[in-house]
Amino acid sequence: MKTTTMLAAFALPLLAPSLSAQTPDHLVGFTRISNLRHVDNWACARIDQCAVPLPGVAVMPRWAGGTGWDPARSGAWITDGVTLAKVDDHCELQCGPMPIPGLGPNAVATGLEVVESLNQLLIIDSLGFLHTFTNTCPPVSLGICNTGLGSTGTVLTYTSGLAVDEGHGIIFIAHCDFATGANFIAISLLTAPCNILCRVPVPPCTTVFGTIRGLAVNWGRRLLYATDGTNSIAIQYARSAIGCVHWLAVNCCTMPIITLDPMVGLAVRPGQETSRRRPPLSTGPPASQALPASTPEALARAAISG
């Protein structure tokens, strides 16, 4: 089931379908028992999935895991929280698996993002530290900074997703209370990634939506995506004068079948030129309805998240 809520008196031209020579964008996410799932947010349907040669996150905390798409090399960086790997659409390894360099013994990775314009890989961990790596195999550490978003004491508030709007220099970090289900997005800038400018609540859906498990962004359309593992939302946003954001509209997608294998990360998988489209993946039902296609400009600007 899909619902759209207007949060202000703005039209939604970026949410409307358009014609293009590209196949449509869709979402991908690493799952709890080690699959790479492809999801159509607009049709509220699973497109496909394949098995990843990683142990999965069944024994990890709920906030662990992440996914980021590398459009230049057409592969998904994935983590179960402590192990890092990169796979293609068919789950064939492109890099790893390997331990996440520099991850502390009491931390797990909770979000992952590819910053294509800088050729970098970002990882946020459960203690609130943001790690920067080269987008190479293997990744090389470039630095670590503290966002101040780590959980303290017995409070179950953790980071749980990461996405970057490269065009506008915005970093989105999911910061959620896993005891109450309250979802917030912390905002910083690429120029000062650990200087949190604001922390804004996620707009509510008219349908059930749980604690965020992954973030992704298509910055050409200014759409922030989030998943609770099963369901997904698309939030249209605008940047405010102080560098923070405000929400314009939210589109909620509730999957008709509840899965016992939730996604633990999220990324935007850009569409491909139809003449170069690969054959369908080997498992899972095809989508019953296509996503609205992105314009070439949006595809060129798509920022990939988790």
Side-chain angles (χ1 to χ4, degrees):
M1 181 173 64
K2 180 178 69 177
T3 61
T4 300
T5 303
M6 301 295 291
L7 301 178
F10 292 90
L12 289 175
L14 297 179
L15 299 184
S18 60
L19 298 177
S20 172
Q22 303 277 342
T23 60
D25 292 358
H26 63 267
L27 302 178
V28 296
F30 185 50
T31 73
R32 192 168 188 263
I33 58 173
S34 201
N35 290 301
L36 185 68
R37 181 170 300 151
H38 297 248
V39 175
D40 181 338
N41 181 76
W42 303 96
C44 294
R46 191 187 79 175
I47 299 173
D48 227 321
Q49 71 177 32
C50 55
V52 175
L54 280 183
V57 295
V59 297
M60 302 293 282
R62 288 174 290 164
W63 41 89
T67 308
W69 186 263
D70 180 356
R73 301 166 184 84
S74 195
W77 283 104
I78 55 176
T79 180
D80 59 5
V82 295
T83 303
L84 182 65
K86 188 179 182 185
V87 297
D88 66 12
D89 278 318
H90 294 258
C91 292
E92 296 176 3
L93 282 170
Q94 294 182 339
C95 187
M98 69 197 83
I100 297 175
L103 188 68
N106 298 318
V108 293
T110 59
L112 187 157
E113 173 68 300
V114 175
V115 184
E116 183 184 6
S117 60
L118 299 177
N119 198 30
Q120 291 180 352
L121 185 66
L122 301 184
I123 293 178
I124 187 77
D125 71 28
S126 55
L127 300 180
F129 289 93
L130 184 65
H131 304 248
T132 303
F133 301 93
T134 58
N135 182 22
T136 56
C137 184
V140 177
S141 177
L142 296 174
I144 304 173
C145 61
N146 188 356
T147 65
L149 297 174
S151 184
T152 58
T154 59
V155 178
L156 290 177
T157 301
Y158 290 94
T159 59
S160 61
L162 177 67
V164 175
D165 175 336
E166 295 185 49
H168 305 95
I170 303 171
I171 297 178
F172 300 92
I173 303 172
H175 193 224
C176 305
D177 188 329
F178 281 79
T180 66
N183 291 316
F184 293 86
I185 303 295
I187 306 295
S188 66
L189 301 179
L190 272 174
T191 52
C194 284
N195 179 24
I196 303 301
L197 299 175
C198 59
R199 184 172 171 269
V200 293
V202 174
C205 279
T206 56
T207 55
V208 176
F209 188 81
T211 310
I212 291 175
R213 304 288 291 275
L215 291 180
V217 69
N218 182 327
W219 65 265
R221 291 176 149 192
R222 295 193 182 186
L223 286 177
L224 179 68
Y225 296 94
T227 182
D228 63 0
T230 301
N231 307 308
S232 60
I233 58 176
I235 311 169
Q236 190 177 29
Y237 63 89
R239 185 173 174 181
S240 68
I242 62 171
C244 199
V245 299
H246 57 270
W247 312 128
L248 303 182
V250 58
N251 177 284
C252 306
C253 169
T254 302
M255 294 292 179
I257 299 176
I258 301 299
T259 176
L260 298 179
D261 183 24
M263 292 188 292
V264 295
L266 198 66
V268 174
R269 169 61 166 101
Q272 301 165 284
E273 293 182 15
T274 53
S275 60
R276 299 180 183 177
R277 190 176 185 182
R278 297 184 66 174
L281 304 182
S282 58
T283 61
S288 60
Q289 181 180 347
L291 283 163
S294 295
T295 63
E297 178 185 8
L299 291 172
R301 295 180 172 181
I304 313 306
S305 67

